[in-house]
């Protein structure tokens, strides 16, 4: 016996070759344990903490159930059809022969992509026709790296099925070499991870809906104030924000309820296509809007999207929006900033309205404010932060002091957490606020 092993804690014996049944038993025991803990966990449906915990338990149970199904498939061979509502059980395979330009798809792959099994499998050149336009460059890069440089494929993209439903597909593959060491074909496994990503978003959204307690009373000019945690915007269910990002940009945003939790929905943010691959992203404030349904923000954002799709540039948006709002019951925009980004040239344009919302640009551990109206060329890794609740000089200075952390963040979502997730040395605004982060990708 090895002297490093303790008699009280013997080494676990790994399952022998082919003992998949043992792994299945372990997975089922773990699922039973998780289910038991979930049933014992108390929490009211209206409690944000309870909703977040239940969402995490549900996600874990889904994943363990699918692990059980995958192990059973290893033991029994391919299943005739995936379990309805499964997170990961829809798995297909394909091989593309580069010498004959022929493709061989499994029946599961036809089902994942919603195609007739009797139809001819698509070649590698034809495959992007199924992929959303903004995800095609990602797929092209993965395939090129695999075929030219011999790199394994491991990435996700979204496909549009014939019934117009969009599914998220995770692809893993590798080149197949011939006797001379040249790439003869490419082999890949594809799985439908749409339900998994949906469950993960549910966990994220319920976590973001948690509220911090109201800030403590101010005991002096330098008294620390607890942050208000970012949540989903009140209009989230009506107007979709592109959480998957836009060409050249990683995007994330959060809504900060008013510090007294009154239904004050005056702050807004949005990101949408401008022209082609260009993106418009903006944030602002409408005064005197107290409706529970946030209709004011919905109307404003819808009008802004319409103008953007009509080709109105950011510098012209303040005047054009003001003209549209004159024909509605909404007040004029009190403060806003509109930014346009062209990914091919990495050109940023911006324009403010009213008392402009701070637009802060962070690069290489430093930050600066973008004032008035202007243009700039961005670099990969640059991070832009729009914050409707940081109009005071002290608040702007605090955000600029976070430059090393913001430029070191790994994603736009991390940037939102950094900007909203710590006590500050300036009073929290009474009104609601919005934070939007755009991170430039390579």
């Amino acid at each position: 016996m090895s002297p490093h092993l303790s008699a009280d804690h013997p080494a676990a014996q790994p399952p022998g070759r082919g003992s998949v049944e043992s792994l299945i038993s372990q997975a089922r025991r773990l699922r039973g344990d998780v289910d038991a803990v979930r049933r014992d966990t108390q929490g009211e449906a209206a409690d944000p903490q309870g909703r977040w915990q239940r969402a995490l338990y549900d996600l874990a149970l889904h994943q363990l159930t699918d692990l059980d199904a995958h192990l059973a498939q290893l033991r029994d061979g391919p299943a005739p059809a995936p379990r309805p509502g499964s997170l990961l059980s829809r798995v297909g395979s394909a091989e593309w022969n580069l010498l004959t330009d022929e493709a061989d798809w499994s029946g599961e792959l036809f089902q994942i992509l919603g195609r007739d099994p009797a139809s001819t499998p698509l070649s590698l050149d034809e495959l992007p026709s199924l992929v959303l336009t903004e995800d095609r460059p990602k797929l092209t890069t993965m395939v090129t790296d695999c075929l030219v440089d011999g790199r394994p494929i491991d990435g996700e993209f979204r496909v549009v099925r014939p019934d117009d439903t969009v599914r998220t597909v995770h692809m893993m593959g590798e080149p197949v070499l011939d006797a001379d060491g040249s790439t003869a074909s490419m082999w890949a496994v594809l799985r439908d991870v749409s339900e998994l990503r949906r469950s993960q978003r549910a966990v994220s959204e319920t976590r973001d809906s948690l509220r911090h307690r109201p800030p403590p009373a101010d005991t002096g000019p330098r008294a620390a104030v607890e942050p208000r945690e970012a949540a989903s915007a009140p209009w989230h269910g009506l107007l979709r924000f592109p959480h998957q990002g836009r060409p050249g940009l990683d995007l994330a945003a959060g809504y900060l309820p008013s510090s007294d939790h009154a239904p004050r929905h005056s702050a807004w943010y949005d990101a949408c296509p401008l022209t082609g691959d260009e993106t418009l992203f903006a944030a602002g404030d409408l005064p005197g809007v107290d409706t529970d349904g946030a209709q004011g923000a919905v109307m404003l954002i819808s009008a802004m999207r319409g103008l953007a799709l009509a080709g109105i540039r950011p510098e012209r948006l303040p005047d054009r929006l003001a003209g549209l709002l004159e024909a509605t019951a909404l007040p004029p925009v009190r403060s806003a900033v509109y930014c346009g980004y062209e990914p091919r040239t990495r050109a940023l344009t911006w324009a403010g309205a009213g008392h402009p919302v701070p637009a802060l640009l962070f690069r290489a551990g430093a930050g600066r404010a973008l004032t008035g109206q202007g243009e700039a060329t961005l670099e990969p890794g640059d991070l832009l932060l729009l914050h409707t609740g940081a109009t005071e000089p002290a608040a702007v200075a605090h955000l600029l002091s976070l430059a090393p952390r913001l430029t070191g963040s790994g994603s736009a979502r991390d940037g939102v957490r950094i900007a909203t997730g710590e006590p500050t040395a300036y009073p929290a605004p009474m009104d609601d606020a919005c934070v939007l982060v755009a991170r430039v990708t390579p």
Side-chain angles (χ1 to χ4, degrees):
M1 178 180 293
S2 170
H4 299 290
L5 298 180
S6 166
D8 295 330
H9 301 283
Q13 296 299 314
R17 184 182 298 273
S19 58
V20 180
E21 194 68 50
S22 174
L23 295 176
I24 293 175
S25 298
Q26 294 178 47
R28 290 177 179 175
R29 283 197 300 270
L30 180 57
R31 187 189 187 285
D33 292 342
V34 172
D35 193 29
V37 174
R38 182 188 64 163
R39 289 196 303 268
D40 291 341
T41 301
Q42 301 297 320
E44 296 297 330
D47 175 50
Q49 180 77 19
R51 289 198 302 270
W52 174 66
Q53 288 179 344
R54 281 189 294 278
L56 275 177
Y57 281 127
D58 289 342
L59 177 60
L61 288 171
H62 275 304
Q63 291 173 315
L64 287 170
T65 299
D66 282 291
L67 174 62
D68 181 14
H70 285 173
L71 292 173
Q73 188 172 348
L74 284 174
R75 179 193 61 193
D76 304 331
R83 176 176 56 82
S86 169
L87 297 181
L88 295 175
S89 60
R90 303 187 68 171
V91 180
S93 61
E95 184 167 359
W96 289 273
N97 190 309
L98 304 182
L99 304 179
T100 64
D101 202 30
E102 294 179 342
D104 183 21
W105 288 9
S106 69
E108 292 84 0
L109 183 55
F110 280 98
Q111 189 173 37
I112 289 172
L113 301 179
R115 297 181 65 83
D116 183 355
S119 63
T120 303
L122 299 184
S123 67
L124 278 178
D125 291 335
E126 296 169 327
L127 186 62
S129 66
L130 304 180
V131 180
L132 282 181
T133 303
E134 52 265 39
D135 287 0
R136 289 176 186 175
K138 183 191 306 182
L139 174 63
T140 300
T141 299
M142 290 192 299
V143 172
T144 301
D145 288 346
C146 178
L147 298 181
V148 176
D149 300 328
R151 298 180 186 175
I153 288 179
D154 188 354
E156 293 183 8
F157 51 88
R158 291 164 295 170
V159 298
V160 182
R161 292 158 53 101
D163 60 1
D164 291 331
T165 59
V166 177
R167 308 297 294 180
T168 301
V169 174
H170 184 199
M171 182 176 184
M172 298 181 68
E174 57 187 24
V176 179
L177 306 181
D178 58 18
D180 298 329
S182 302
T183 303
S185 63
M186 191 186 84
W187 175 86
V189 169
L190 297 94
R191 54 186 179 136
D192 185 340
V193 295
S194 304
E195 299 303 324
L196 173 63
R197 296 295 172 254
R198 188 173 295 114
S199 291
Q200 289 174 333
R201 286 196 297 271
V203 171
S204 176
E205 290 171 4
T206 53
R207 178 194 60 214
D208 290 344
S209 69
L210 298 176
R211 302 288 193 268
H212 277 283
R213 64 182 184 275
D218 188 4
T219 58
R222 301 298 296 173
V225 177
E226 290 294 326
R228 294 173 295 164
E229 187 169 340
S232 296
W235 60 90
H236 179 78
L238 297 174
L239 296 172
R240 295 184 181 276
F241 183 80
H243 290 289
Q244 298 294 332
R246 288 279 302 153
L249 290 177
D250 175 23
L251 294 168
Y255 174 79
L256 300 168
S258 59
S259 56
D260 59 1
H261 297 284
R264 219 176 271 117
H265 301 322
S266 58
W268 57 270
Y269 66 81
D270 191 42
C272 65
L274 190 56
T275 56
D277 285 342
E278 288 186 84
T279 297
L280 169 71
F281 55 98
D285 197 11
L286 276 170
V289 179
D290 297 326
T291 56
D292 288 339
Q295 296 97 330
V298 171
M299 291 175 62
L300 173 64
I301 294 171
S302 299
M304 185 183 70
R305 288 185 176 185
L307 292 172
L309 291 174
I312 304 300
R313 308 300 301 174
E315 60 271 18
R316 297 176 56 199
L317 277 173
D319 291 339
R320 295 297 296 271
L321 271 174
L324 284 177
L325 293 180
E326 287 179 356
T328 73
L330 293 177
V333 176
R334 177 169 57 191
S335 60
V337 62
Y338 307 93
C339 301
Y341 181 69
E342 163 55 66
R344 290 174 297 178
T345 60
R346 297 199 180 101
L348 174 76
T349 59
W350 70 89
H355 183 52
V357 169
L360 308 179
L361 172 61
F362 296 90
R363 174 184 297 170
R368 66 184 179 94
L370 305 178
T371 58
Q373 178 178 318
E375 300 180 4
T377 300
L378 303 185
E379 299 178 0
D382 283 358
L383 186 144
L384 286 125
L385 171 65
L386 313 183
H387 195 318
T388 68
T391 56
E392 297 300 322
V396 173
H398 170 73
L399 292 174
L400 291 175
S401 72
L402 301 176
R405 294 177 58 194
L406 287 170
T407 56
S409 61
S411 67
R413 173 55 57 188
D414 289 340
V416 171
R417 293 194 184 102
I418 291 170
T420 62
E422 64 172 34
T424 63
Y426 59 89
M430 286 296 295
D431 289 342
D432 57 352
C434 289
V435 179
L436 188 150
V437 169
R439 186 171 178 269
V440 180
T441 57

